[in-house]
């Protein structure tokens, strides 16, 4: 088989680019320890009713004055469906799924997590502005995917 000079150059370039990209991903994942949001916390998706904090979904104030919100996603909604949190406080969302992969994306913020059964993902956010925030599922999860939403009301303290 005869390879033209330019084909060889482009093959070399393509192969080198592939190695560089895979190395970047590998170093980031294994050396720098990048994990899903919240680390690698595991949970049994069939036993959420008896696993804290998912046995009591909702907003919980912690001793240091910050808030933790436990959310369970399942086709096609979130539990709880509506919450209230104060403006200006740290709010840590802990989310997991009972069934399939969903997502937890708070519109107009940078909170945007995958929600994977068996895994706990978490993200902390401070809401500066009071108002209503919409949470949507942006991971296609079935026929009711487009109905899947939740609401956060951020109130002045
Ligand atoms: Cu849940 Cu899409």
């Amino acid at each position: 088989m005869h390879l033209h000079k330019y084909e060889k150059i482009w093959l070399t370039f393509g192969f080198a680019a592939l190695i560089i990209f895979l190395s970047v991903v590998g170093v980031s994942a294994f050396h720098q320890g990048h994990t899903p949001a919240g680390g690698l916390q595991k949970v049994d998706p069939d036993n959420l009713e008896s696993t804290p904090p998912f046995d009591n979904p909702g907003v919980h104030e912690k001793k240091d004055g910050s808030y933790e919100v436990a959310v369970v996603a399942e086709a096609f909604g979130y539990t709880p469906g509506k919450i209230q949190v104060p403006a200006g406080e740290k709010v840590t969302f802990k989310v997991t799924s009972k069934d399939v992969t969903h997502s937890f994306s708070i519109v107009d913020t940078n909170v945007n997590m995958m929600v994977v059964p068996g895994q706990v993902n978490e993200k902390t956010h401070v809401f500066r502005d009071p108002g209503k925030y919409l949470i949507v599922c942006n991971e296609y999860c079935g026929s009711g995917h487009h109905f899947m939403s939740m609401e956060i009301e951020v109130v002045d303290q």
Side-chain angles (χ1 to χ4, degrees), residues 21-61:
F21 293 150
L22 288 177
S23 307
V24 168
V25 172
V27 167
S28 141
F30 297 108
H31 182 66
Q32 300 182 325
H34 283 193
T35 61
L40 294 169
Q41 302 174 62
K42 300 282 182 207
V43 72
D44 178 359
D46 296 324
N47 262 324
L48 295 180
E49 292 77 8
S50 53
T51 314
F54 303 108
D55 55 345
N56 184 15
V59 183
H60 308 288
E61 189 173 357

Side-chain angles (χ1 to χ4, degrees), residues 102 137 139-141 145 148:
H102 300 276
C137 177
E139 204 64 48
Y140 183 73
C141 52
H145 162 69
M148 196 161 165

Side-chain angles (χ1 to χ4, degrees), residues 45-150:
D46 296 324
N47 262 324
L48 295 180
E49 292 77 8
S50 53
T51 314
F54 303 108
D55 55 345
N56 184 15
V59 183
H60 308 288
E61 189 173 357
K62 295 201 290 188
K63 285 194 189 95
D64 62 1
S66 68
Y67 291 81
E68 183 183 275
V69 182
V71 177
V72 177
E74 68 186 299
F76 298 102
Y78 299 92
T79 309
K82 202 174 177 182
I83 58 165
Q84 222 181 44
V85 295
E89 296 289 349
K90 268 189 187 173
V91 181
T92 300
F93 295 93
K94 287 194 167 189
V95 297
T96 192
S97 168
K98 253 186 189 175
D99 41 35
V100 297
T101 300
H102 300 276
S103 96
F104 184 88
S105 310
I106 309 177
V107 177
D108 290 337
T109 70
N110 64 356
V111 179
N112 183 7
M113 292 185 275
M114 298 272 286
V115 185
V116 181
Q119 188 176 305
V120 180
N121 279 359
E122 75 175 69
K123 178 90 184 156
T124 301
H125 186 71
V126 177
F127 294 92
R128 296 282 168 213
D129 303 316
K132 287 185 175 169
Y133 291 77
L134 177 70
I135 294 167
V136 291
C137 177
N138 62 22
E139 204 64 48
Y140 183 73
C141 52
S143 59
H145 162 69
H146 54 293
F147 293 121
M148 196 161 165
S149 72
M150 175 178 164

